[in-house]
Amino acid sequence: MSEFYPPVQKPYTRNGEILQEGVFPDGMRRIALGVEYNGSAFHGFQKQPSGVATVQESLEKALSQVANETVTLVCAGRTDAGVHGTNQVVHFDTLAERPEKAWVRGVNALLPDGVSVRWAQPVSPYFHARFSARDRTYRYLICQSSSRPAIGAGLLTWERRTLDIDAMKQAARQLVGEHDFTSFRATQCQARSPVRRVHYIELFEEGDLLVLEISANAFLHHMVRNITGVLLAIGAGEKPVSWASEVLAARDRRQGGVTARPDGLYLVSVSYSDEFGLPDCAPGPRFVPRPLVSL
């Protein structure tokens, strides 16, 4: 931003982005949380007007009880119905003064079994769970089996077709970099720009388990699921490796094939500047805890 056109500071609103030299009310505290959840029982992360069960609604209800005031929050990335999170990051502003253990143990005692706060800490008013995030990383856990898995149902995506992993890796490389991902966004996606930078897409196979990991500066609605749908079709031999780049170049969602199921999809990491001092947690899920490079 040019010095002749400094950023315009917006009036303070709870949980809002605070720019340089912005005003933060006396007595107000900004708290960040790391959250883990099983998305199977929820209609996505974001609170819905219809009142259906969501992760956000569960968290805000529990936080409000601990704070003894109405608490609303902002998350790093809104996940779809059925999608899980191992390291979702949220923040909220509150006048309540509580020890960090109250935001963890106290809140967890009030949450349903499918949601858990992993850590909590005060952060700078300039921290924003969404706008301060540098990168986001997702993992797809895919079970390759001719029979439907019973153990891990809802936590793994079942793929009965035999997959050519090398073909999937070749296709994935065509999607790395900064591109217009119109072909991979949901038709109802509200993002202003379809341009995103994908840092990498890696695949690792161990027995029946295929782990697909994708990292980008940000994602469009259904982008990860649509990319996975294309790669699975290529891996199954239904489409050639070149189809990935053809879909990308088309900039037309109708050319993109099937959206992969939410089962087995996890938001596993959100990265921020070291200046905020947030904990560095293993990506997970807990039964696949290590970074892919170590696998």
Side-chain angles (χ1 to χ4, degrees):
M1 181 71 71
S2 167
E3 62 180 320
F4 300 107
Y5 298 95
V8 177
Q9 176 59 46
K10 304 174 184 177
Y12 170 78
T13 57
R14 280 212 178 188
N15 309 326
E17 184 180 24
I18 297 177
L19 304 177
Q20 194 68 27
E21 307 301 329
V23 176
F24 196 64
D26 291 340
M28 190 69 74
R29 297 167 179 81
R30 181 158 289 187
I31 309 295
L33 306 177
V35 182
E36 177 180 272
Y37 52 92
N38 180 334
S40 301
F42 298 99
H43 294 264
F45 186 93
Q46 187 179 20
K47 184 187 296 185
Q48 303 293 326
S50 61
V52 295
T54 66
V55 179
Q56 182 179 3
E57 184 270 339
S58 297
L59 280 168
E60 290 182 347
K61 182 178 179 180
L63 287 165
S64 297
Q65 288 185 254
V66 171
N68 196 29
E69 66 174 5
T70 300
V71 171
T72 58
L73 59 81
V74 173
C75 70
R78 295 175 292 185
T79 51
D80 296 336
V83 175
H84 318 293
T86 61
N87 285 297
Q88 173 72 273
V89 177
V90 309
H91 84 263
F92 61 95
D93 292 349
T94 180
L95 291 168
E97 185 174 357
R98 303 285 187 272
E100 291 179 22
K101 65 181 181 181
W103 299 123
V104 179
R105 296 181 185 176
V107 171
N108 281 342
L110 299 168
L111 286 171
D113 290 342
V115 187
S116 178
V117 175
R118 300 187 63 182
W119 55 263
Q121 71 176 56
V123 288
S124 160
Y126 299 113
F127 173 82
H128 192 281
R130 178 185 174 192
F131 297 128
S132 299
R134 291 181 167 182
D135 309 295
R136 298 160 178 84
T137 302
Y138 282 84
R139 279 183 171 180
Y140 240 119
L141 304 189
I142 301 166
C143 178
Q144 304 175 81
S145 173
S146 59
S147 59
R148 174 178 55 82
I151 296 176
L155 301 176
L156 301 168
T157 290
W158 174 39
E159 177 55 69
R160 70 176 72 190
R161 298 171 295 184
T162 300
L163 300 175
D164 182 338
I165 308 303
D166 288 337
M168 295 176 69
K169 290 180 178 180
Q170 293 176 47
R173 286 194 286 269
Q174 300 171 20
L175 304 178
V176 174
E178 186 170 276
H179 304 289
D180 180 330
F181 283 95
T182 296
S183 294
F184 295 93
R185 70 191 296 187
T187 54
Q188 65 269 36
C189 180
Q190 298 178 353
R192 294 181 181 179
S193 170
V195 177
R196 295 292 186 270
R197 175 173 291 278
V198 171
H199 303 310
Y200 66 82
I201 304 175
E202 299 288 349
L203 294 102
F204 172 80
E205 191 176 20
E206 183 171 311
D208 290 342
L209 180 65
L210 173 64
V211 181
L212 185 156
E213 183 171 296
I214 177 169
S215 182
N217 61 340
F219 289 93
L220 301 164
H221 189 193
H222 284 178
M223 179 174 162
V224 179
R225 294 171 61 186
N226 290 334
I227 285 175
T228 303
V230 165
L231 295 182
L232 287 174
I234 291 171
E238 297 174 357
K239 297 287 185 178
V241 170
S242 61
W243 188 53
S245 59
E246 293 168 4
V247 170
L248 182 68
R251 299 181 183 180
D252 182 351
R253 175 63 202 127
R254 293 171 295 180
Q255 305 302 314
V258 176
T259 300
R261 291 178 54 82
D263 313 47
L265 179 57
Y266 298 77
L267 172 61
V268 298
S269 177
V270 185
S271 67
Y272 298 92
S273 170
D274 291 341
E275 68 181 283
F276 296 120
L278 299 188
D280 184 16
C281 299
R286 294 175 190 265
F287 50 87
V288 188
R290 294 174 293 165
L292 286 194
V293 65
S294 68
L295 295 173

